[in-house]
Amino acid sequence: MQLLTSTAVIVTLCCAMIAAITDLTTSKVYNVLTIPMVIAGLIYHSLTGGLIGLAGSFLGLIIGFGLVLLPFLMGGMGGGDVKLLAGIGAWVGVPAIFYVFIAAGLMAGVCAIVMLLWQKRSVARLAGDMRMMWCQFASLSQQTATEGWADHSITHSQPRRTVIPFGVLVALAVIITFFYASWTGM
């Protein structure tokens, strides 16, 4: 990751921290942050060239977006989290986006286990939740985005779930990735 300029590191860290704060306070990562982040990352790397360049920036964007698209489609995270990872990918490119994703994913897994233990949920309930998520995913391809379906999903929504603020974990993953890269000389 010696390919990253200090500008790329600073912008990525600042945007990730803003996303973490808004995710903690409002449970949202706003488009007003993520969309300009994506565009600015592409523009910056196309103008500065360097070893990442526009192609590397675009590839990082696509990979960052793609890595979290399935969890988003399954209802496991919000669209802001997807666009945040795409924006980070546009700034840091490949392979750094993989490191950020892996670190955030591992932290999310640990948080989920801790939350399950904290809430003392039974294994049967966990299996039921997993079965429900699978059914929702399987029926996603069969559902249409009609107004009736949207009304049904709003009026007959599931009980409120405890959510993990993924934007916070992504911000921590960015910090860990940059620290690890500078420590190991990657």
Side-chain angles (χ1 to χ4, degrees), residues 32-46:
V32 72
L33 172 71
T34 57
I35 301 299
M37 182 182 183
V38 168
I39 294 167
L42 292 171
I43 291 171
Y44 175 79
H45 286 296
S46 67

Side-chain angles (χ1 to χ4, degrees), residues 119-163:
Q119 295 175 355
K120 298 179 183 171
R121 297 177 73 176
S122 69
V123 174
R125 172 117 187 239
L126 177 62
D129 288 350
M130 296 298 288
R131 191 170 35 256
M132 182 183 68
M133 281 180 56
W134 174 252
C135 289
Q136 287 175 340
F137 175 70
S139 69
L140 183 65
S141 62
Q142 299 170 359
Q143 297 290 339
T144 58
T146 63
E147 208 170 271
W149 176 70
D151 289 343
H152 180 268
S153 66
I154 292 169
T155 57
H156 297 92
S157 62
Q158 298 293 327
R160 184 156 194 239
R161 315 184 275 180
T162 305
V163 294

Side-chain angles (χ1 to χ4, degrees), residues 17-186:
M17 297 310 292
I18 292 168
I21 292 167
T22 60
D23 200 11
L24 270 177
T25 57
T26 66
S27 297
K28 293 182 187 284
V29 177
Y30 292 101
N31 288 343
V32 72
L33 172 71
T34 57
I35 301 299
M37 182 182 183
V38 168
I39 294 167
L42 292 171
I43 291 171
Y44 175 79
H45 286 296
S46 67
L47 294 177
T48 60
L51 295 176
I52 289 181
L54 179 60
S57 178
F58 186 72
L59 185 59
L61 180 154
I62 296 299
I63 290 172
F65 182 84
L67 287 171
V68 290
L69 184 60
L70 184 60
F72 166 72
L73 292 174
M74 293 178 64
M77 67 177 48
D81 298 323
V82 177
K83 289 175 272 191
L84 176 63
L85 221 57
I88 291 170
W91 276 97
V92 301
V94 181
I97 191 62
F98 285 115
Y99 297 131
V100 170
F101 171 74
I102 290 168
L106 289 173
M107 287 186 285
V110 169
C111 286
I113 291 169
V114 168
M115 288 170 59
L116 286 172
L117 294 174
W118 183 264
Q119 295 175 355
K120 298 179 183 171
R121 297 177 73 176
S122 69
V123 174
R125 172 117 187 239
L126 177 62
D129 288 350
M130 296 298 288
R131 191 170 35 256
M132 182 183 68
M133 281 180 56
W134 174 252
C135 289
Q136 287 175 340
F137 175 70
S139 69
L140 183 65
S141 62
Q142 299 170 359
Q143 297 290 339
T144 58
T146 63
E147 208 170 271
W149 176 70
D151 289 343
H152 180 268
S153 66
I154 292 169
T155 57
H156 297 92
S157 62
Q158 298 293 327
R160 184 156 194 239
R161 315 184 275 180
T162 305
V163 294
I164 298 170
F166 194 68
V168 174
L169 301 179
V170 169
L172 290 172
V174 166
I175 293 167
I176 290 168
T177 301
F178 288 158
F179 177 74
Y180 178 77
S182 67
W183 186 51
T184 61
M186 258 178 30

